[in-house]
Amino acid sequence: MNPYYRKTVIGGNWKMNLLPSDVDRYAEALIGSIPHPCDAELVLAVPFVSIPAAISAFSGSGIQIAAQNVSEHSSGAFTGEVCAAQLFDIGVRRVIIGHSERRLYFCETDAIINNKAHAAIFGGLDPIICVGESAEVRDTGCACELVAFQVKSALSGISAQALSRIVIAYEPVWAIGTGNVATPQQAQDMCSHIRSVISGIYGSAAAEAVSVIYGGSMDENNAGELLALPDIDGGLIGRASLSPAAFSKIVQSSEKALKQFGGI
Ligand code: PGA
């Protein structure tokens, strides 16, 4: 992290877990255990059906509620889809785009992800765009090339002004849900590489200001070490975010790391 240049973002991703009726209990436990105020931006991405309950339960807590997906279209005959304007209308301001589970199980291509980024920005939502390589790609030594391609594709046609609303999440597919967290060196190297790719498109000042976060088996035991690294500006946390106690410990690690930067 580097709070002098960019914000720290700690995001939870519930995926398709927990019920709308679980939200109140979860919120009470989390709000009661995180520091107030928090210097990091805290975001919780919950399933669509839990968003209204979560917005109400976390109101005034400083924790933003995000969606896990958004349509690439702005309205129309797209049964089962949810568009950015609908999410904005109920109070959502952030959305995860291009998660590897969406790429893998729902055939989301880099072109669709780019369309979704444009749709989100246009509809008032700030995207968290996920990129990351599979184990096979890492084994062939092409991880940097693939991630660079994913970043460039996702940001195609996005203005420098809109870039300031985007967070990039580096989530190696082999680390997601496996307990097989990237080493600090692997995570730092790829987050730094992503920043240099962004610098190549928008210039170094814009790249220094973009938050690049890490996701993939981040938990309460490894978060402190990862968040202290210079190019890792936060985390996107799946499994560990299902437990308010574990998620709160990750938030506390990030606050501790931020304090070590001189009381920011
Ligand atoms: P995980 O998921 O923390 O369970 O590995 C991270 C993610 O998919 O965002």
Side-chain angles (χ1 to χ4, degrees):
M1 55 175 62
N2 189 332
Y4 296 108
Y5 288 110
R6 48 196 177 257
K7 62 183 171 294
T8 299
V9 179
I10 305 292
N13 175 11
W14 280 6
K15 309 192 178 184
M16 199 173 69
N17 293 298
L18 303 181
L19 303 173
S21 58
D22 292 323
V23 165
D24 281 349
R25 207 171 0 178
Y26 180 102
E28 199 186 328
L30 184 62
I31 294 167
S33 59
I34 54 167
H36 295 278
C38 259
D39 292 310
E41 178 183 324
L42 304 184
V43 187
L44 201 53
V46 303
F48 285 135
V49 287
S50 295
I51 289 176
I55 285 181
S56 152
F58 284 100
S59 154
S61 71
I63 298 173
Q64 290 184 67
I65 300 306
Q68 299 173 9
N69 184 28
V70 66
S71 173
E72 63 183 307
H73 304 287
S74 57
S75 67
F78 299 102
T79 302
E81 288 287 274
V82 176
C83 66
Q86 291 165 334
L87 291 166
F88 187 89
D89 192 58
I90 60 167
V92 174
R93 297 292 179 267
R94 269 217 185 271
V95 61
I96 296 176
I97 292 175
H99 191 281
S100 65
E101 287 149 17
R102 303 245 18 124
R103 292 176 188 258
L104 191 62
Y105 305 138
F106 303 96
C107 304
E108 287 193 8
T109 61
D110 288 294
I112 291 174
I113 288 157
N114 177 241
N115 289 344
K116 289 189 174 198
H118 283 278
I121 300 262
F122 183 73
L125 306 182
D126 297 345
I128 297 175
I129 298 176
C130 301
V131 297
E133 81 287 357
S134 64
E136 294 72 30
V137 170
R138 179 157 280 262
D139 289 346
T140 58
C142 300
C144 286
E145 287 77 2
L146 179 81
V147 169
F149 178 79
Q150 290 174 330
V151 169
K152 286 181 196 160
S153 304
L155 296 178
S156 175
I158 300 280
S159 67
Q161 202 186 359
L163 178 72
S164 65
R165 294 171 46 193
I166 292 176
V167 170
I168 304 287
Y170 168 54
E171 299 209 303
V173 180
W174 45 270
I176 295 177
T178 58
N180 189 16
V181 65
T183 64
Q185 192 68 55
Q186 287 170 325
Q188 162 61 27
D189 286 352
M190 191 61 89
C191 289
S192 159
H193 173 63
I194 289 170
R195 202 177 304 289
S196 70
V197 171
I198 295 173
S199 175
I201 311 169
Y202 297 94
S204 61
E208 279 302 319
V210 173
S211 299
V212 180
I213 66 178
Y214 168 81
S217 298
M218 184 183 273
D219 64 19
E220 64 277 30
N221 301 313
N222 57 38
E225 192 177 11
L226 290 162
L227 295 173
L229 295 165
D231 281 292
I232 299 183
D233 304 312
L236 187 56
I237 298 114
R239 188 191 43 78
S241 75
L242 298 177
S243 152
F247 192 54
S248 154
K249 283 194 185 129
I250 296 170
V251 172
Q252 287 165 26
S253 297
S254 116
E255 291 299 294
K256 197 168 152 204
L258 280 165
K259 296 278 175 308
Q260 283 164 358
F261 266 91
I264 282 219

